[in-house]
Amino acid sequence: MPTSTVLKACDEMQPEIDLSGEAGWTPFDAPALVGDSLRFVSGDRSGDRFRARYYRDADNHLHARFWLGPEAEGPPGHAHGGAVAAIMDEALGLAGWAEGYSIVVGNLNVSFRNMLPLGRVITVESRVVSVEGRKIMVHGRIFCGDTTYAEAQCLCITIPGIPGK
Ligand SMILES: CCCCC/C=C\C/C=C\C/C=C\C/C=C\CCCC(=O)SCCNC(=O)CCNC(=O)[C@H](O)C(C)(C)COP(=O)(O)OP(=O)(O)OC[C@H]1O[C@@H](n2cnc3c(N)ncnc32)[C@H](O)[C@@H]1OP(=O)(O)O
């Protein structure tokens, strides 16, 4: 990951919220894949709760840039744990869809490693790590520079009758 881009994504309280991706990432159109139902987390591109952009890298892994605003507050100045879990639910579930699996999330285990300050751009990385029958395991991490804010393991279950792998 180029250092200059990391620094840009971690600047505190950026005057402009820069959700652009890394070199080599291409924008990922989530509504085109799963419809318009993901409004809870990523649907509002100008609000004060979540702002998000999804990308895929050259290996087709899903990444996201997120900004959490004052409406996502839990501890003063920091993200609500439910806000972090909601990001993991959407991003890791979407990672399953992006790899061709028609899934819902059956189990989500989130570890909150550091308090996440509001008002900065953070990155979500995700990876399908195993596929066993209907069980698709996706791992993810929310980070900024060297700081990991949360990690998650997400068990996704394919939905019978919905097109996909
Ligand atoms: C029919 C309506 C379909 C509607 C969806 C249609 C289209 C959707 C299109 C696009 C949008 C969708 C998603 C977009 C992407 C991300 C969105 C964010 C993600 C979410 O926000 S998504 C909402 C939250 N999510 C739920 O609302 C799930 C509620 N839940 C259920 O709907 C069922 O619970 C289900 C389907 C999970 C399983 O039900 P089921 O009857 O089909 O299958 P079953 O129970 O047999 O499980 C099969 C094997 O998975 C194992 N297993 C299951 N659950 C487990 C668990 N929790 N822990 C450990 N193992 C588990 C079993 O142990 C068994 O394993 P084994 O085969 O080895 O015995």
Side-chain angles (χ1 to χ4, degrees):
M1 195 178 290
T3 305
S4 59
T5 312
V6 171
L7 291 174
K8 180 183 67 172
C10 292
D11 285 347
E12 290 184 43
M13 304 305 292
Q14 299 171 32
E16 288 190 19
I17 301 166
D18 181 0
L19 297 176
S20 59
E22 305 285 334
W25 291 3
T26 53
F28 178 74
D29 187 350
L33 180 64
V34 299
D36 287 328
S37 67
L38 297 182
R39 295 188 300 278
F40 177 58
V41 171
S42 62
D44 185 356
R45 292 185 151 226
S46 60
D48 281 336
R49 197 179 309 271
F50 301 110
R51 301 188 195 180
R53 297 284 185 285
Y54 284 102
Y55 300 91
R56 274 177 133 165
D57 65 22
D59 296 320
N60 271 342
H61 299 304
L62 194 70
H63 302 260
R65 296 277 203 229
F66 266 85
W67 172 92
L68 287 80
E71 299 295 321
E73 189 169 35
H78 294 81
H80 193 290
V84 172
I87 290 173
M88 291 296 201
D89 179 61
E90 177 173 303
L92 274 52
L94 199 53
W97 278 84
E99 300 242 353
Y101 301 99
S102 303
I103 54 88
V104 287
V105 173
N107 178 268
L108 179 63
N109 179 21
V110 181
S111 296
F112 303 99
R113 297 296 188 192
N114 284 287
M115 286 171 56
L116 170 55
L118 301 173
R120 70 175 53 176
V121 172
I122 46 101
T123 303
V124 187
E125 64 179 8
S126 58
R127 188 87 28 119
V128 173
V129 297
S130 67
V131 178
E132 293 176 27
R134 294 178 58 199
K135 292 182 247 188
I136 317 299
M137 181 60 78
V138 184
H139 288 183
R141 183 170 78 104
I142 293 175
F143 68 97
C144 188
D146 292 333
T147 304
T148 294
Y149 293 104
E151 296 167 320
Q153 299 84 40
C154 180
L155 176 64
C156 301
I157 310 292
T158 56
I159 314 164
I162 305 287
K165 286 189 202 169

